[in-house]
Amino acid sequence: MNSSVIWILVTIGFTTSIVLSLPPVVKIGAIFTEDQENSAVELAFKYAVYKINKDKKLLPRTSLVYDIQYVPRDDSFHASKRACKLVNFGVQAMFGPSDPVLGAHIHSICDALDIPHLEARPDLESEFREFAINLYPAQHLLNAAFQDVMAFLNWTRVAIVYEGDYGIIKLRELIRATNTDLEVHLRQTDLDSYRAVLKEIKTKEIHNVVIDTKPENMPHFLKGILQLQMNDYKYHYLFTTFDLEAFDLEDFKYNFVNMTAFRVVDTQDLSVRELLRDMAAFRSGRPDLLPVLNSSYIQAEAALMYDSVYVFALGLQTLEQSHSLAYPNVSCDREQPWDGGLSLINYINMVGLKGLSGPIEFKEGRRIQFKLDLLKLKQHSLVKVGEWRPGFGVNVTDRGAFFEAGTTNVTLVVTTILEQPYVMMRTDPSLIGNDQFEGFCIDLLREIASMVGFEYRIELVPDGKYGVIDLDTGEWNGIVKQLMEKKADLAVGSMTINYARESVIDFTKPFMNLGISILFKVPTPRQARLFSFMNPLAADIWMYVFSAYVLVSATMFVVARFSPHEWHNPHPCEVFNELLENQFSLANSFWFTIGTLMQQGSDLNPKATSTRIVGGIWWFFTLIIISSYTANLAAFLTVERMITPIENAEDLAGQTEIPYGTLESGSTMTFFRDSMIETYRKMWRFMENRKPSVFVSTYEDGIQRVLKGNYAFLMESTMLDYVVQRDCNLTQIGGLLDSKGYGIATPMGSPWRDKISLAILELQEKGEIQMLYDKWWKNTGDTCQRNDKGKESKANSLGVDNIGGVFVVLMCGLAFAVMVAICEFCYNSKKNSIREKRMTNQQSLCSEMGGELCFAMQCRGSRQRPALRRECSKCLNKVAYVKDDNKQTSLSPVLPISP
């Protein structure tokens, strides 16, 4: 009983092992084109079968047997016949061919018969193919890799050159998915039209080219590049082939031609190197069948063929664990599919491994996991400078490799714009080339070129603009456009670093820091007036002082009349004299007030308390007024004053009489256009809507407009310092509105940026940039000689224009006094003449005036005036004053006394 059970179990186990095991021989078929006979692809296929059969761990009880069929290229009829022959042979999988047209026909047969079809060709069909396994990376992922590289290189114009109709189908996703800023030129070519297409690309100045040509035609294409002299650093070629290492690039290595491509086989990997050595040894054992093989390199198609055989073997290994695999009994003549094909293709689709072509993983028959090495042609060979993976994008590990600056004669195109003192033209017409230019930036460029190691050719930007983006079209102009289109390698000048430009081009470290300031014409000094000594007090203050003078004088007169203490006896000796006098008559009151106002005083002294209060208050008033006047007079007469209508940006924004503007298409204009500060936004609205336009095309135009007057120019402070130091009629208003820097611009991703930045930092640390600044800003000999006021001399000496009015007042006062004296003289003479006539009826007016005049003009003469002498003699002839004993005065006749 027990022996029977054991026998049954052994029988069931043996049967199960037979059912679940693979057949001892698995037949596979391969279709190659006739030109691939005895090629590296065939070698890789045979070597993979050989290695799998030798590896007893992979398929221990199964061997692979292959049958290879050769067909003419592009002959789908014979390809179908060969495929049916392999089907009749009983193959359980079919490999190849790599030709897209033939591959499509072979797959249609395999799909109808449920035979797995393993390919290694570009996947041009978007539909899901159930019985196809393609080792070639999915085309949409390859297009994404090309897009990432183009974005890294910041390409804006590109020409795509392709061969055959399938070329445009392969790259259609690349064209559709590119951003709208990329200008794409499509050109289909063949062996006979390479030169014509390349010449057209050169004529249109397109420097970036994507090349998708047949491998066998690649040498002819490279020859066309050499013939048209398109083998210099300005051109960048991106190849879609994975076998750029297989071509002779000797003529391109030392001209710094930018050649970039991907590869799927990492020949630096140790396992890959070992496998290639084994494959070369396998070839050496069969010299009659196999070609010579390079032990350090393998073509991508051969590597993919090797991996496809291993993928099939791993699929068999996985299927063996759970399913059986029966021999196919199918034929092209019958539409009966193979029952085991579906299971086998599903297990193959789940395979994941690391092969010659890197990591392998599939989704619906398409390869979605792989690694592409980014290659760049350097001076000696193609080197790996980065890699690309699906989902991770491009990772460039050697950015400087995209333009290697060696010690050979590399000539860079330097674009610039004429601007004093940065870049200027020499006056000598016989000079040519770089010798035509001079200036701060030219000297700086010469120093940097000697440090970094390159030659250069200076060109002026065609439109004469620095570069600003048009918000409507999104297009750049000026220097920025030249760099974006790779028409220049460097841009040197007063190029401001800002966010918008930095997003499309690269800048070095700033070599100069600056900001926006306001240039304005120096206000004309106010012409000194004759009566400028009255300027310290305003006109209304002078009126108030005069009114106070009149009011105080009148108050003094009235108060003195009311106060009994201001009345006094004119003859103190006569006690009973009833005659009283008041010294503060109306004239004396005005005299007292003006005397104290002039700080000179008078003989009139107030005696009453009330008058003294009036006098004291007036003295306090005059103290303050005279002190204020004296202090302000010094400032007005000794310090030159400029009346500036604007003092800062807020003053400009708050008025509309004085127009102001900036340089057109410059960073200053961009600053106001994009600013979020309300003051600057208000200024931008004014500048944008002002008619006529307040923008100028060059700095020189802006400066000339300022010199004409009634215009303020918003410009960068370094340029402002330059022009202000050379023209005394110009000045800076206010401080800096922002802070930024000048830098040397390069195209996006240029390796020259880092090298030049290091050179700039070194020049700054040595102080050479400051020396260049002093050379072109201060030591040129044409600077403006201003009368700068030192600390010890802050005032100007006074001239006639300042205090001449004082002399005029003095002369007018003297003339007025003389006229009053004459009037008094005439009045007194007339009065004496009338009295003389009344008494003697003899003295006339003319004789009286003559006598008085003669007396007045004599330096020596009688001690008694003529009229008084005559009057006294008459009095003595008549009466004399006699004093009696009763102390009373009486008149008595006396004898005349001779004088």
Side-chain angles (χ1 to χ4, degrees):
M1 183 69 180
N2 293 334
S3 60
S4 300
V5 173
I6 293 173
W7 173 255
I8 294 173
L9 293 175
V10 170
T11 304
I12 294 174
F14 178 75
T15 306
T16 304
S17 64
I18 294 177
V19 173
L20 296 180
S21 64
L22 296 175
V25 175
V26 174
K27 297 180 180 180
I28 58 176
I31 298 178
F32 299 127
T33 56
E34 292 178 348
D35 57 340
Q36 290 179 326
E37 186 175 0
N38 292 330
S39 65
V41 179
E42 183 179 348
L43 169 63
F45 176 79
K46 292 179 179 180
Y47 174 70
V49 174
Y50 163 78
K51 189 173 182 182
I52 292 170
N53 291 335
K54 189 177 179 181
D55 186 0
K56 297 304 180 182
K57 293 182 181 180
L58 183 59
L59 298 174
R61 292 177 296 273
T62 303
S63 298
L64 299 181
V65 177
Y66 60 81
D67 184 11
I68 299 177
Q69 298 292 323
Y70 304 99
V71 298
R73 187 176 291 274
D74 298 331
D75 191 343
S76 58
F77 176 77
H78 284 87
S80 301
K81 291 292 186 180
R82 297 293 187 272
C84 290
K85 184 177 180 180
L86 292 175
V87 170
N88 294 331
F89 177 69
V91 298
Q92 293 169 314
M94 200 173 296
F95 296 84
S98 59
D99 184 81
V101 178
L102 298 181
H105 286 81
I106 301 302
H107 175 71
S108 63
I109 297 174
C110 293
D111 187 60
L113 301 176
D114 288 3
I115 298 176
H117 182 207
L118 288 90
E119 303 176 277
R121 63 183 177 90
D123 186 7
L124 305 182
E125 300 179 13
S126 58
E127 298 83 7
F128 168 64
R129 296 177 300 170
E130 186 176 8
F131 284 90
I133 298 292
N134 197 342
L135 271 291
Y136 199 91
Q139 189 62 42
H140 72 279
L141 296 178
L142 288 179
N143 289 336
F146 293 136
Q147 291 167 20
D148 290 344
V149 173
M150 293 164 63
F152 169 76
L153 297 174
N154 194 34
W155 284 4
T156 56
R157 298 180 71 208
V158 59
I160 298 179
V161 180
Y162 64 94
E163 287 190 52
D165 295 334
Y166 69 90
I168 188 62
I169 299 175
K170 182 169 65 174
L171 297 174
R172 61 188 176 187
E173 292 184 10
L174 175 63
I175 301 171
R176 293 173 182 173
T178 52
N179 56 68
T180 56
D181 297 333
L182 183 63
E183 180 183 339
V184 179
H185 296 261
L186 284 173
R187 292 295 181 271
Q188 185 175 7
T189 184
D190 53 29
L191 192 60
D192 299 327
S193 60
Y194 284 155
R195 288 196 59 182
V197 172
L198 287 172
K199 186 175 182 180
E200 180 184 359
I201 293 173
K202 183 178 181 180
T203 303
K204 292 185 177 181
E205 295 184 349
I206 303 174
H207 299 144
N208 306 312
V209 186
V210 177
I211 302 172
D212 182 63
T213 61
K214 297 178 180 179
E216 60 271 19
N217 294 339
M218 181 66 72
H220 300 282
F221 189 89
L222 296 177
K223 184 178 179 180
I225 293 176
L226 293 174
Q227 291 175 344
L228 292 174
Q229 296 182 351
M230 298 173 66
N231 59 330
D232 59 22
Y233 66 93
K234 290 191 300 183
Y235 292 94
H236 200 138
Y237 301 98
L238 177 60
F239 294 89
T240 60
T241 178
F242 291 143
D243 296 317
L244 188 61
E245 294 172 289
F247 302 105
D248 183 13
L249 303 177
E250 190 68 23
D251 295 327
F252 299 90
K253 292 179 181 178
Y254 303 100
N255 285 353
F256 298 95
V257 184
N258 292 284
M259 288 187 169
T260 306
F262 287 113
R263 72 179 179 191
V264 294
V265 180
D266 186 3
T267 55
Q268 304 301 319
D269 189 276
L270 295 178
S271 60
V272 173
R273 288 185 175 184
E274 183 178 357
L275 194 150
L276 292 179
R277 286 195 297 267
D278 292 343
M279 191 180 298
F282 172 74
R283 176 251 167 236
S284 62
R286 306 180 65 179
D288 56 329
L289 297 177
L290 302 175
V292 178
L293 185 66
N294 188 346
S295 62
S296 60
Y297 171 76
I298 185 172
Q299 293 182 359
E301 187 177 349
L304 294 174
M305 179 58 70
Y306 174 87
D307 287 342
S308 64
V309 177
Y310 253 85
V311 166
F312 174 74
L314 289 174
L316 287 176
Q317 183 188 44
T318 309
L319 180 141
E320 183 182 16
Q321 299 174 2
S322 58
H323 291 78
S324 62
L325 186 66
Y327 287 105
N329 186 17
V330 293
S331 173
C332 292
D333 299 330
R334 296 180 299 170
E335 296 184 0
Q336 182 67 30
W338 178 33
D339 295 335
L342 183 60
S343 298
L344 179 58
I345 196 67
N346 288 335
Y347 280 103
I348 295 176
N349 210 8
M350 293 187 295
V351 169
L353 77 154
K354 180 183 178 182
L356 267 178
S357 59
I360 300 174
E361 186 177 333
F362 302 99
K363 181 179 180 181
E364 296 180 352
R366 289 185 172 88
R367 185 172 179 178
I368 60 172
Q369 188 58 256
F370 55 90
K371 177 178 70 70
L372 300 178
D373 291 338
L374 183 63
L375 302 180
K376 173 68 176 60
L377 179 64
K378 299 189 75 172
Q379 189 170 354
H380 301 290
S381 62
L382 282 167
V383 296
K384 178 182 176 180
V385 295
E387 62 182 35
W388 188 92
R389 292 175 181 268
F392 296 94
V394 65
N395 178 25
V396 180
T397 56
D398 185 6
R399 291 175 176 262
F402 283 92
F403 196 94
E404 182 177 5
T407 57
T408 56
N409 293 327
V410 180
T411 302
L412 304 183
V413 178
V414 179
T415 183
T416 186
I417 187 171
L418 294 178
E419 202 70 71
Q420 293 183 340
Y422 301 98
V423 180
M424 299 177 289
M425 295 290 292
R426 295 181 185 270
T427 55
D428 189 354
S430 62
L431 298 176
I432 59 174
N434 297 341
D435 296 334
Q436 302 176 81
F437 303 94
E438 64 175 352
F440 173 84
C441 288
I442 302 301
D443 291 349
L444 179 63
L445 177 62
R446 187 181 302 112
E447 294 290 336
I448 292 174
S450 63
M451 295 174 63
V452 177
F454 62 85
E455 300 294 331
Y456 57 89
R457 184 178 73 254
I458 301 176
E459 296 180 356
L460 296 178
V461 63
D463 58 2
K465 300 182 184 301
Y466 288 97
V468 67
I469 188 172
D470 190 327
L471 296 179
D472 297 329
T473 62
E475 296 182 356
W476 286 84
N477 60 8
I479 291 177
V480 178
K481 182 178 181 180
Q482 295 290 106
L483 293 175
M484 292 176 62
E485 296 179 353
K486 301 293 180 68
K487 294 182 179 179
D489 303 299
L490 299 176
V492 177
S494 52
M495 190 80 171
T496 305
I497 305 172
N498 59 25
Y499 170 78
R501 291 174 179 171
E502 188 71 48
S503 62
V504 293
I505 60 176
D506 284 340
F507 280 95
T508 64
K509 298 292 184 182
F511 59 82
M512 184 177 292
N513 295 315
L514 63 145
I516 298 174
S517 192
I518 304 172
L519 180 69
F520 198 64
K521 186 178 181 182
V522 174
T524 304
R526 186 162 43 177
Q527 189 68 27
R529 296 181 301 174
L530 190 60
F531 295 97
S532 58
F533 63 87
M534 299 185 69
N535 291 339
L537 299 182
D540 52 350
I541 298 299
W542 283 114
M543 294 299 299
Y544 294 153
V545 170
F546 179 76
S547 301
Y549 164 67
V550 174
L551 177 62
V552 171
S553 300
T555 304
M556 179 64 77
F557 171 73
V558 173
V559 170
R561 302 293 292 184
F562 276 96
S563 176
H565 298 288
E566 290 296 339
W567 293 92
H568 66 279
N569 185 1
H571 303 289
C573 296
E574 299 179 6
V575 180
F576 300 100
N577 187 7
E578 295 182 359
L579 179 63
L580 297 176
E581 292 183 354
N582 193 319
Q583 62 177 346
F584 285 102
S585 62
L586 190 59
N588 286 349
S589 297
F590 278 92
W591 176 249
F592 171 80
T593 310
I594 196 64
T596 54
L597 180 63
M598 297 300 177
Q599 303 289 295
Q600 297 301 318
S602 64
D603 292 337
L604 302 174
N605 295 314
K607 299 176 181 179
T609 303
S610 57
T611 54
R612 288 182 176 180
I613 292 175
V614 174
I617 292 298
W618 175 247
W619 291 342
F620 175 77
F621 173 81
T622 57
L623 173 66
I624 301 301
I625 290 296
I626 297 303
S627 299
S628 302
Y629 173 82
T630 304
N632 211 18
L633 180 65
F636 268 85
L637 297 185
T638 60
V639 179
E640 183 181 10
R641 291 182 172 234
M642 299 292 182
I643 305 301
T644 306
I646 54 175
E647 297 293 341
N648 47 45
E650 285 72 15
D651 292 346
L652 270 182
Q655 56 83 44
T656 57
E657 291 79 13
I658 301 176
Y660 49 89
T662 68
L663 184 69
E664 187 179 8
S665 297
S667 61
T668 304
M669 187 187 80
T670 306
F671 168 77
F672 285 98
R673 185 190 66 188
D674 301 336
S675 177
M676 299 302 294
I677 301 175
E678 183 57 34
T679 300
Y680 302 153
R681 293 178 64 184
K682 182 179 179 181
M683 295 174 68
W684 170 250
R685 289 193 295 267
F686 172 85
M687 291 186 286
E688 187 179 25
N689 300 322
R690 183 77 175 190
K691 301 297 181 184
S693 177
V694 294
F695 298 107
V696 295
S697 57
T698 63
Y699 274 122
E700 186 62 29
D701 293 342
I703 294 169
Q704 293 300 322
R705 192 165 177 178
V706 171
L707 288 172
K708 292 179 181 178
N710 199 42
Y711 180 76
F713 188 39
L714 298 158
M715 63 188 302
E716 292 166 345
S717 58
T718 51
M719 276 298 300
L720 189 145
D721 292 341
Y722 180 80
V723 298
V724 166
Q725 291 187 34
R726 280 155 181 76
D727 195 332
C728 294
N729 294 321
L730 298 174
T731 185
Q732 177 179 346
I733 299 297
L736 301 182
L737 305 186
D738 68 339
S739 179
K740 51 193 173 185
Y742 285 156
I744 296 177
T746 65
M748 186 73 76
S750 173
W752 293 108
R753 180 186 65 172
D754 295 336
K755 298 177 175 63
I756 295 174
S757 293
L758 292 176
I760 289 175
L761 293 176
E762 184 176 352
L763 291 174
Q764 286 177 336
E765 291 177 358
K766 292 180 178 179
E768 295 188 21
I769 291 183
Q770 182 62 41
M771 294 170 62
L772 290 177
Y773 180 86
D774 294 339
K775 171 186 175 182
W776 290 101
W777 265 259
K778 301 178 181 180
N779 302 330
T780 58
D782 57 350
T783 56
C784 170
Q785 300 297 326
R786 285 184 169 85
N787 295 324
D788 295 330
K789 304 174 179 63
K791 293 182 179 179
E792 68 281 357
S793 176
K794 294 185 179 180
N796 298 326
S797 58
L798 299 179
V800 177
D801 293 339
N802 302 113
I803 58 174
V806 177
F807 295 95
V808 173
V809 172
L810 176 62
M811 298 303 297
C812 292
L814 294 177
F816 182 71
V818 170
M819 293 177 61
V820 171
I822 293 174
C823 292
E824 290 178 344
F825 176 79
C826 295
Y827 176 76
N828 186 61
S829 297
K830 184 177 181 181
K831 184 174 66 173
N832 292 337
S833 175
I834 293 173
R835 187 168 56 222
E836 288 290 334
K837 273 188 177 184
R838 191 180 297 115
M839 296 179 62
T840 62
N841 198 20
Q842 294 180 354
Q843 188 72 10
S844 63
L845 175 62
C846 292
S847 59
E848 181 67 22
M849 293 181 64
E852 293 290 338
L853 183 60
C854 290
F855 174 78
M857 297 300 295
Q858 289 178 357
C859 295
R860 293 178 178 273
S862 302
R863 298 182 62 186
Q864 194 171 21
R865 292 181 61 184
L868 181 60
R869 186 174 62 248
R870 289 192 298 269
E871 185 174 345
C872 292
S873 62
K874 292 176 183 178
C875 293
L876 292 176
N877 289 332
K878 294 180 181 179
V879 295
Y881 291 96
V882 178
K883 188 174 182 180
D884 59 5
D885 296 336
N886 295 327
K887 296 182 181 182
Q888 291 183 350
T889 302
S890 62
L891 296 176
S892 302
V894 294
L895 296 175
I897 301 174
S898 60

